[in-house]
Structures are given as C-alpha cells and as structure tokens.
Amino acid sequence: MTGPGATGPDVTEPDVTGPDVLDLWEHSVREHAGGPALVTPHRVLTYRDADRLTDAWAAFLAEHGAGPGELVGLAFGDPARTVLGMLAALKAGAGFTVLDDRLPPAARTALLARTGAVVWLGDGAHAPEEACVPHGPAEDADVTAPARPVRRADGSDVAYVLFTSGSTGRPKGTVVERDALRRFAAAVASRLELTARDRWLQVASLGFDVLIEEVFPAFAAGAAVVCREDTRALDAEELHIALTRTRTTVVELSTQYWLEYARWLDGSGTATPETLRTVVVGGERMDPVPYRRWQARQPAALAHVYGLTECTVSSTFYTGLLPSDAEEVPLGSALQDVEISIRQDGRPVPDGGTGEIHIGGPLLARGFLDDEEATARRFVPDPYAGTPGGRVYLTGDLGRIDADGQLVFLGRVDDQVKIRGHRLEPARVERALCEGGGVGQAVVFPDPETGTVLWAFTVPADPAAAPLPGEAVRLTGADRDALVVPLEAQLPDWAVPRVLYRVSVLPKNPHGKVDKRRLATWAAAASAASGAPASAAAPVPEAAGTEQEPLGTVLALFREVLDAPALGPDDNFFDHGGQSLLALRLLARLRESRPDAAGLRASALFTAPTPRLFADALAGLAVARP
C-alpha cells in the first residue's frame, strides 16, 4: 500500500507530556496485565495480549502515514477487530472513523471520500478495496511485537470522527478530540463504578457513537469488553442468552430494544442474569410505567442516559429509583466535566424553568468535519462560561432542572424526531419522496403507537390519482416500491418510511401546521375498512391440528404486529413496515402462543419474510426437533 506519508513518522520525536486517553489504557495494562481486556467467542485477549497486538498494528499504521491529525478508517465485520483498530489508531497518534456496514452503497462511497482516511483497515463486505488487516504477534506469544511509535499526539488532536444521522441533509462528521475522549472514559467509569471485574457486552452498531461508551470506559477501569462474532441484531432471547453465557455485568440498549427485552423477561417469567448488574438505556424518551415495573421486578439496575454525538456520547446519567409520582424518567445529572444549563434566547432561565438544553465543558467536540458554517451555528461562544473561550452546544432539546437537580426532557425545539435512536429531520425524507416524481407533497412522522416505524403520507402530483377527501389509501406492491426503492438507495434503513399512504390533501391544524393526528385517524379508518374483507381476500385455514394451523397463527401475528389486517400469506414483512424491533416483537408474541417457536430467531425473517415461508420455517424446526 502506498500513500501520503508512506515512509512513516519520525519515531524519535519527543513524547507529549500532557495527559492522554492512552494513559488510561496503559494504567490498566500495568495493573491488570493478565486480566481479560477483550472477550470474543473464540478467544480471550488479556490486557498484555491486546497491548502487544495493537502495538504491532500501530507500527503498521505509522508506516502507512497514520499520525496526529490523520484518520484511520475501520471497516471490519468483526466487532473485536474494530475495537483493536480503534486502539491501534490512537497508539499511532491518529484518530479513527468507523464505516457503518448498514449504509447504502452511495452513502458509503460519499463517506469514504469525505473522511480522507490515510489508511483503511478492514475485511468486511462493506470495506473499500484498499482495506487490509495488519499482522501482529497475537497468534505466537514468543514473537516480539514491533515497538509502536512514540506518542506525539496532543490532547487537542483528533481521537475519532463519527457521523451523525444527517438529519438536515448529508450526515455530519463529528470531530472529537483526545482530551474529550479521555475525560469521557474516566467520567463514565467513575459514574458506573466500573472495576476490573466488570464485563461490558458490545451490542451497538459499529457506526453508532454508543460504541465509544461500550469500549473506552471499560478499558479505563481495567474491565473487559465482550464482543460478539458479528454485528447481527440479537432478538430478546438471544440477548439474554449472550448476557448469561458471557457473564456480562453491564450492557447498553436503546430505549426500544430495552422495552422488547423487558417484555420478553415479563412474558417468560425470567429475571435478568445473575451477573448482570447494570443496564444502560437511552436514545429516546422513557415511559415511567415500564421503568418502574423493571425496578420492581428485575435485579439488574437501570441507568438512564442522555447525550449527543457532538458532546462525546453521554452527558447525563440517572441511576436512582423512580418516585411513584414522577411523570417523566429524569435524564439525570451531569457527568464530571459536563456543564448543563437551561436557557431561553441564550439566557439562563430561573430554577425549574423550561428552555433549550445547552451543554458546555471540555467534552464538547471540536465541531463538524469540513463544515465551519454548521459548527458555528451549533457550537457557540458561551458568555456565561467560567473560563475564557468557553463554548456551549445548542442541543435543540427542551428541558428543565427539577427540584432534585435532575435534568428532565420535555421535547424538541424544532421538528426533529427520534427514530430507533437516531435523530432525523423529516423534511429530508419528505424532499426525497417528492424528488422522484409523482408526489406533489409529503409528510413523514413516526407511527403514533410505537414510534419505531416512519409513516409517510403523500399527495399525488396528479389530482386525478388522489383518493377522496378525508381518505387515506395504504400503498402496496408496485405503488409502494416506486417510492421506497429510490429512498433505500440513498437513506439508511431506519430513515426509510415503511408504511405509506396516499391522501388528497395534507390537513392543517388551527396553527397552520400539518395535522398529524387527523392523518393518523384517516390511517386507522383505512385499516378498519380493510379489516373486514381481509379474511375473504386472503383465506387461510386455521383449524387446530391441521398442517395449515401454523400458517394461521403466524399470519394473525404478522397482521397484529404490522397493524395490517389485510396482509396476505405471501406478503413481505419488510414491505409492510417491518423492521428489526418489530421482528423482535413478532417473535415474542409467537413464543407466547406456540412453545415450539422457542428455537426460532428474528433473523429467520430475512430468509423467510412472508407468513407462509415463516410458518414453513416453524414447521421445519418442529420436524428437526427430536
């Protein structure tokens, strides 16, 4: 491989004496050399093993131009190698970026160009052609690892660049510096009281900033990061099995994922594994009812977190018992080195007042990659900062500080929404729907019941194609594909509407905004109207004890979970609004009614996405069972 700086940095250059994120790693190597650092399905790497291996990788990276101010790209399909690559890049003095394997090809190509990584490591199907896997001494304990370059990086040098959801257009690359990462790792390790006995299971998507929280606080405490074999989503039962088998003590789940796990535990009468002590939950608003139910029934404690990529992952933690009269689950109190304030029009509000949440302190990111305008708009000078040159990040979230000093979330200042843990400005999707032709207007919002699926209501450009006023017609087949397929080529999966309706007009409320409640009412009426003839349109024998009985049960559950009464036995789950979280719900409901479904996994939906095929998979499981 050749490229800029291929001769490597001068390894004799003096070390920088300031504190660095690697100091935390090196302390753990000294104190816990023989303890587990990285646990994989095939191997356990001790801190000594991982240190030697990443030294060798860092030397390789330095030879290929990695150093302060440069980025190393990571595109592994293996989470463990991703973690090793992150550490090796930091050892080379460089920062890292992780390429999300879920991105569509066009978005992936654009991000490859934007990062300008000096070298790419990876072996995943999504990796660029030039990516490689460096060799190291891990397989032979007698081989001496090459000495890594003397660290030349400063605390203000880049540690990593991760891309946000791109809510207002193309995704923004958030540049986080080494000192911010160091402070963050130490603060989370302290707040969660992590020790060398802890094991943190890595479950987040590799392009998501939660990955940072799963790795660096654990390393700061001398704890182990537990990696799965691949990035495949686990259903609730698979998660429980993984937590139990790996003796995990800490895991972080998105709000919706946690809800699915909580439902599965309740439905199966199961408690969290004995070793699991803390479940970190965040990403979306938390309903107090399931939160209290968990705290009353489950031995594992909850930690409710709030934060943004631009502020180094998480800024606040709530770990208390929720009072019986609390109407919201608090976001908690600030981490060390994080400054939280509530302001209106840039001025702090009185205690208990409502305003926009502002985040300040040394954990703020440097800004957005190659986007000075966006950086200046969201990272602004703070006239109330205690130190000269202080900045504050405008979150766009509404909140207040309650009487106990806890931050409480109250909604969004603007029209952004959270969908499956990602921030999205619906206008981005609405514009894309209208660009393809045939659509004159569109509005997009999460489904009112679960908030996990995007709904789209479109007004056809040709009035002759519009339904009657006050009606919503659900799009299926070729009509639906004509709108969805172009979106899938340019948007991540979670940003693509899966349930689409055609209406004659977008109704407005008295404030002049689109009346989403009325649209939801029209959609409910459409579902109710289609429910009556559904059995006639797609008859399915459901007599118990017959070969057709599994299909009847499966079809009924598909219809229930997707809220699609007219769904037929050969209709595709993913074409009618299905996604990973709804797949988890489908499996949970199926196991409640059919004990023989215990061995079936949500991943089976990808190969058997229709009720008929899924029923066949269930029947095949029964035949294979002795």
Side-chain angles (χ1 to χ4, degrees):
M1 181 185 303
T2 60
T7 57
D10 180 2
V11 298
T12 63
E13 186 168 330
D15 189 8
V16 174
T17 57
D20 185 73
V21 63
L22 286 178
D23 296 339
L24 302 175
W25 168 262
E26 290 166 355
H27 179 268
S28 293
V29 172
R30 290 192 301 271
E31 297 297 320
H32 311 288
L38 202 59
V39 178
T40 78
H42 308 294
R43 185 173 184 195
V44 175
L45 286 175
T46 67
Y47 270 90
R48 182 187 299 109
D49 294 335
D51 192 49
R52 293 173 63 250
L53 176 57
T54 50
D55 275 356
W57 281 26
F60 173 88
L61 292 173
E63 291 173 359
H64 291 79
E70 301 286 356
L71 283 180
V72 171
L74 303 173
F76 289 107
D78 174 8
R81 282 185 166 180
T82 301
V83 173
L84 292 170
M86 292 157 57
L87 186 56
L90 293 173
K91 284 187 172 186
F96 61 84
T97 189
V98 182
L99 189 62
D100 192 336
D101 61 358
R102 303 166 303 167
L103 289 175
R108 187 185 312 152
T109 300
L111 288 191
L112 287 173
R114 289 178 60 194
T115 57
V118 69
V119 58
W120 277 93
L121 302 182
D123 56 2
H126 63 301
E129 291 184 5
E130 68 272 18
C132 62
V133 180
H135 296 291
E139 302 301 329
D140 186 348
D142 295 328
V143 176
T144 301
R148 74 168 185 260
V150 175
R151 190 181 74 232
R152 302 179 303 123
D154 185 75
S156 61
D157 283 320
V158 60
Y160 65 84
V161 174
L162 289 182
F163 288 84
T164 61
S165 307
S167 61
T168 58
R170 69 173 188 167
K172 294 182 176 65
T174 303
V175 183
V176 174
E177 297 176 350
R178 296 173 76 101
D179 188 58
L181 178 57
R182 175 184 67 85
R183 292 172 182 267
F184 168 76
V188 174
S190 174
R191 179 63 64 93
L192 294 180
E193 300 180 345
L194 299 180
T195 72
R197 295 184 298 275
D198 279 304
R199 291 181 166 215
W200 194 317
L201 180 63
Q202 195 283 307
V203 296
S205 299
L206 298 184
F208 203 19
D209 67 347
V210 173
L211 172 67
I212 303 298
E213 189 156 77
E214 294 172 320
V215 171
F216 289 98
F219 285 163
V225 176
V226 180
C227 289
R228 298 178 292 121
E229 191 161 12
D230 53 37
T231 60
R232 179 179 61 86
L234 301 176
D235 66 32
E237 185 176 2
E238 289 173 319
L239 172 65
H240 186 74
I241 292 171
L243 293 170
T244 303
R245 286 179 176 173
T246 60
R247 305 190 306 279
T248 290
T249 64
V250 182
V251 67
E252 183 159 359
L253 307 175
S254 69
T255 304
Q256 292 298 328
Y257 195 2
W258 170 78
L259 283 170
E260 293 298 334
Y261 183 44
R263 290 189 188 102
W264 180 84
L265 289 171
D266 287 345
S268 61
T270 306
T272 51
E274 183 178 351
T275 56
L276 185 66
R277 67 175 184 87
T278 302
V279 180
V280 183
V281 184
E284 298 174 66
R285 176 188 172 273
M286 176 73 75
D287 189 330
V289 174
Y291 199 91
R292 288 195 191 94
R293 184 183 300 122
W294 176 287
Q295 291 189 322
R297 299 180 182 181
Q298 299 300 338
L302 291 176
H304 191 213
V305 299
Y306 165 76
L308 301 98
T309 306
E310 297 89 342
C311 304
T312 313
V313 197
S314 295
S315 297
T316 66
F317 277 67
Y318 177 72
T319 54
L321 286 174
L322 189 65
S324 59
D325 60 348
E327 297 180 355
E328 293 287 340
V329 180
L331 300 177
S333 58
L335 285 176
Q336 183 178 345
D337 290 324
V338 175
E339 300 166 5
I340 300 290
S341 60
I342 307 298
R343 306 183 189 186
Q344 286 185 348
D345 299 323
R347 296 185 179 89
V349 303
D351 292 346
T354 297
E356 184 178 2
I357 300 172
H358 289 54
I359 301 179
L363 265 64
L364 290 192
R366 180 190 299 171
F368 298 117
L369 182 67
D370 298 328
D371 195 337
E372 294 182 3
E373 181 180 348
T375 298
R377 188 166 57 247
R378 300 308 294 266
F379 296 85
V380 301
D382 184 7
Y384 302 97
T387 57
R391 299 178 303 152
V392 68
Y393 182 76
L394 311 182
T395 67
D397 292 329
L398 287 172
R400 64 180 176 85
I401 305 295
D402 67 15
D404 296 322
Q406 305 289 331
L407 179 64
V408 178
F409 176 74
L410 300 175
R412 287 290 300 172
V413 173
D414 51 26
D415 291 329
Q416 282 190 3
V417 298
K418 272 285 187 76
I419 185 76
R420 291 160 60 185
H422 300 273
R423 283 178 292 152
L424 175 73
E425 185 174 297
R428 177 190 178 195
V429 185
E430 293 162 1
R431 288 193 298 268
L433 281 167
C434 295
E435 286 172 358
V439 175
Q441 292 179 286
V443 65
V444 171
F445 56 90
D447 71 284
E449 183 175 351
T450 71
T452 63
V453 180
L454 281 179
W455 283 7
F457 290 80
T458 63
V459 178
D462 180 4
L468 294 174
E471 290 186 355
V473 176
R474 185 158 176 171
L475 301 182
T476 59
D479 289 338
R480 178 185 178 280
D481 291 345
L483 297 180
V484 170
V485 172
L487 297 182
E488 290 177 330
Q490 55 180 306
L491 298 174
D493 174 74
W494 51 265
V496 177
R498 297 300 175 184
V499 178
L500 294 91
Y501 291 92
R502 180 178 293 151
V503 294
S504 61
V505 65
L506 298 180
K508 301 295 178 64
N509 61 26
H511 302 289
K513 295 188 175 183
V514 174
D515 192 335
K516 297 173 184 176
R517 289 187 178 181
R518 198 186 312 180
L519 287 172
T521 300
W522 293 356
S527 294
S530 64
S535 58
V540 179
E542 299 192 23
T546 71
E547 293 183 359
Q548 295 295 331
E549 192 275 332
L551 177 55
T553 301
V554 169
L555 178 58
L557 291 177
F558 268 60
R559 289 172 174 173
E560 173 192 324
V561 169
L562 295 174
D563 189 24
L567 190 83
D570 298 306
D571 287 334
N572 190 295
F573 177 82
F574 299 100
D575 289 345
H576 288 78
Q579 35 86 354
S580 59
L581 289 172
L582 291 182
L584 299 181
R585 187 168 303 162
L586 175 66
L587 261 291
R589 292 286 291 111
L590 184 61
R591 288 169 182 151
E592 290 172 4
S593 59
R594 295 187 63 94
D596 59 344
L600 206 58
R601 298 290 179 253
S603 56
L605 275 167
F606 291 98
T607 54
T610 70
R612 193 184 307 280
L613 291 174
F614 203 68
D616 289 346
L618 179 60
L621 190 68
V623 170
R625 188 177 288 115

